[in-house]
Amino acid sequence: LRFASIDFAYNPGGVWVLLFSLLALGSLTLSLLWPRRRVWVRVNQDGVIEMAALAKGDDQRLEQATTEIRKRLEKEIA
Amino acid sequence: MTPTIVLNEPLSQVSLLFVSSAMAFIAVALLLFSFQLVQLSKIEGVVPVSKLEKTGFVVLIFGTVVLGIGVVLRGVAAGRVPWANMYEFAISTAFLILVVYLSAMKIKDLRFIATFISGFILVILFAAVSLFYVEVKTLMPALQSYWLVIHVVVAVLATGFFTVAAGLHIAYLVKASNRAKNLMDRFPSLEVLERLAYRFNVVGFVQWSFTLIAGAIWAERAWHRYWGWDTKEVWTFIIWTLYAGYLHAMATRGWNGKRAAWLGLIAFFAVIFNFTIVNLFFKGLHVYSGL
């Protein structure tokens, strides 16, 4: 044996790369799959409760989510 | 001590036999689905439950199982995972696209794109068997890593989801163009088609992002740099950008609908381009076609 090739490598950034890539991927997934919606509830002076809901982009479950909140409110009041 | 890998070319021929018979089954399924589409476009009013479609799916599932056996045998013959060159990658991709499609059918009704899926699979398998076939070989050093499993499996899964989405985009565009009206009335509404395509693209996009990151980490392992503007790296990034563009279009008022569907299709063409043209004609570090 006349020649030997030795390769040393030390990469202290590896753990951080893993950590932040996982964080980025997790955030991306959440931002795509987590629905963003706002629901307003207000009580008028004559005691009528009004509700309104708005979604970012289109949101198929918006109506269902609003209905669920309405049911919860009705239960609380009753 | 390094384990010696025994290559088994006769077994690989058996695997090829399975892949070829799977092609025959999928071709029959494609014929049945096409006849069913013709039938649908002729009947007026309520459509009876189609025997053609049912038989088509039985044949398609059978073809998928046979193809699965072929893929596994190829892996056994090579003594490693069966996706290290273009032929193996093509048959594994075809198998996983079918698995993604057939499993997704358990949740959503996607029967109407069966013709597109089986036709697309048939083209992949035909190209694999006639153009890409190579004998089993051992792996080159850069590929000998567990990342070969992680990186490639997720990339192939992403391709499966993108393929189903592409089928939905095509259905959407045909329906939106008001052609073949009689047939298209049997398809789900435009909103449903758009929404389904979006769902599949979102899942595919997350997987594609993972592929990109895992690829960079593997590149650091193998070549000591995360990113080197290698052709395959660049194209994977272009595809990521195109799908990101599609997702932005879907979130922008006035850009969803037809325009977003075209963007999704363009992105899917880039996926195919990345697999075929970039693999075969571009020079770079990712020369794994084995041709």
Side-chain angles (χ1 to χ4, degrees):
Chain A
L1 188 80
R2 294 183 66 187
F3 299 100
S5 164
I6 298 164
D7 193 1
F8 280 104
Y10 171 60
N11 185 0
V15 179
W16 295 99
V17 169
L18 183 70
L19 198 72
F20 283 108
S21 56
L22 284 179
L23 188 67
L25 199 66
S27 321
L28 175 76
T29 314
L30 280 184
S31 76
L32 285 170
L33 299 177
W34 201 275
R36 282 162 291 170
R37 45 174 89 108
R38 287 183 281 177
V39 179
W40 291 271
V41 180
R42 78 173 170 204
V43 184
N44 283 350
Q45 282 189 325
D46 46 5
V48 177
I49 298 175
E50 282 181 316
M51 281 182 79
L54 183 70
K56 183 121 175 72
D58 43 6
D59 186 346
Q60 278 194 318
R61 292 197 61 243
L62 184 66
E63 209 170 311
Q64 197 187 332
T66 319
T67 319
E68 272 165 27
I69 295 172
R70 203 189 81 192
K71 278 189 185 144
R72 235 169 64 200
L73 275 176
E74 281 171 348
K75 230 169 106 183
E76 290 284 323
I77 294 165
Chain B
M1 212 178 81
T2 48
T4 42
I5 294 162
V6 184
L7 298 177
N8 192 341
E9 183 56 29
L11 187 60
S12 166
Q13 290 298 324
V14 177
S15 151
L16 183 63
L17 201 67
F18 271 95
V19 173
S20 310
S21 11
M23 276 172 69
F25 283 117
I26 293 163
V28 171
L30 174 65
L31 273 180
L32 290 170
F33 292 138
S34 319
F35 283 142
Q36 193 238 346
L37 282 189
V38 175
Q39 205 182 42
L40 272 185
S41 59
K42 279 184 183 154
I43 300 170
E44 301 278 335
V46 189
V47 187
V49 180
S50 172
K51 265 194 188 146
L52 280 173
E53 194 181 65
K54 267 193 176 164
T55 329
F57 274 106
V58 172
V59 176
L60 187 65
I61 290 169
F62 200 74
T64 309
V65 173
V66 173
L67 181 61
I69 296 171
V71 171
V72 170
L73 284 181
R74 174 77 186 191
V76 174
R80 53 169 165 72
V81 286
W83 48 78
N85 54 49
M86 220 166 146
Y87 167 71
E88 294 170 1
F89 191 79
I91 57 171
S92 297
T93 308
F95 176 64
L96 265 185
I97 292 174
L98 283 170
V99 169
V100 167
Y101 173 64
L102 291 171
S103 336
M105 291 243 304
K106 294 265 171 219
I107 308 165
K108 302 267 178 197
D109 184 11
L110 295 169
R111 281 173 303 172
F112 51 91
I113 55 165
T115 320
F116 168 78
I117 297 287
S118 42
F120 187 71
I121 295 294
L122 206 57
V123 172
I124 298 181
L125 288 181
F126 187 75
V129 170
S130 61
L131 301 173
F132 308 149
Y133 185 79
V134 284
E135 294 187 350
V136 280
K137 278 182 216 130
T138 40
L139 285 177
M140 63 161 90
L143 285 183
Q144 292 169 1
S145 162
Y146 52 85
W147 284 106
L148 179 65
V149 179
I150 306 169
H151 174 68
V152 180
V153 165
V154 180
V156 172
L157 266 180
T159 310
F161 279 89
F162 286 152
T163 308
V164 174
L168 293 165
H169 283 318
I170 292 173
Y172 180 94
L173 287 171
V174 175
K175 192 171 174 117
S177 72
N178 278 325
R179 287 201 192 93
K181 203 136 184 20
N182 211 347
L183 174 62
M184 281 311 174
D185 283 347
R186 316 280 182 210
F187 278 44
S189 68
L190 285 175
E191 291 75 34
V192 171
L193 286 172
E194 184 176 32
R195 197 108 281 276
L196 274 176
Y198 179 73
R199 286 278 165 86
F200 276 93
N201 274 332
V202 161
V203 177
F205 184 72
V206 169
Q207 287 168 336
W208 197 260
S209 310
F210 176 87
T211 306
L212 202 54
I213 294 170
I217 294 174
W218 185 10
E220 206 277 331
R221 268 286 163 106
W223 304 316
H224 294 293
R225 86 280 187 289
Y226 288 105
W227 194 262
W229 299 106
D230 184 58
T231 41
K232 200 70 185 252
E233 289 170 2
V234 174
W235 272 95
T236 306
F237 179 61
I238 290 173
I239 291 163
W240 189 86
T241 316
L242 285 170
Y243 274 106
Y246 162 81
L247 293 181
H248 278 87
M250 284 297 285
T252 312
R253 199 170 294 271
W255 260 88
N256 49 9
K258 267 189 186 178
R259 286 173 170 183
W262 277 114
L263 269 179
L265 264 189
I266 290 169
F268 184 66
F269 283 131
V271 173
I272 297 173
F273 184 84
N274 194 23
F275 174 64
T276 53
I277 308 296
V278 175
N279 269 5
L280 291 173
F281 300 111
F282 287 22
K283 288 192 174 64
L285 281 168
H286 288 75
V287 189
Y288 303 135
S289 66
L291 295 171

